[in-house]
């Protein structure tokens, strides 16, 4: 799995993930957003969840949404946030399901 900060070159499919992640971040009025693409080509986007009883990063939520929807595996993830978000705990969940999935971090 690879991660990048700054402005990476993205192909069309990863640019779609970036757009979805930014949209989720905006809707949640959050500092981060994430989107994943499963091996069937379906996409899932999310913002973080921060409740007294539950605290999940945007990437953890996106991975959980995909897994709960029956995603067979992952191809890619895009995480939008700051450089401090590069160690997102959702990366472990992503690679647990698909060791060869890649993640791109886009700092805003």
């Amino acid at each position: 799995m690879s991660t990048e900060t700054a402005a990476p070159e993205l192909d069309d499919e990863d640019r779609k993930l970036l757009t979805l992640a930014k949209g989720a971040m905006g809707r949640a009025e959050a500092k981060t957003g994430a989107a994943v693409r499963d091996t069937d080509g379906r996409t899932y986007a999310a913002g973080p969840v921060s409740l007294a009883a539950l605290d999940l990063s945007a990437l953890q939520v996106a991975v959980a949404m995909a897994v709960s929807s029956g995603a067979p595996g992952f191809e890619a993830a895009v995480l939008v946030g700051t450089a401090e978000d590069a160690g997102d705990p959702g990366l472990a969940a992503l690679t647990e399901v698909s060791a060869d999935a890649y993640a791109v971090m886009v700092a805003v």
Side-chain angles (χ1 to χ4, degrees), residues 24-101:
M25 183 173 71
R27 284 188 303 280
E29 297 179 0
K31 295 179 182 178
T32 62
V36 297
R37 181 175 56 251
D38 72 14
T39 54
D40 289 336
R42 293 177 296 200
T43 57
Y44 305 84
V49 173
S50 185
L51 304 171
L54 183 65
D55 192 26
L56 299 171
S57 73
L59 186 54
Q60 286 176 311
V61 175
V63 168
M65 289 169 51
V67 170
S68 69
S69 296
F74 296 106
E75 290 179 358
V78 170
L79 174 63
V80 178
T82 64
E84 294 85 43
D85 300 309
D88 190 293
L91 294 170
L94 180 78
T95 57
E96 179 180 335
V97 176
S98 294
D100 59 341

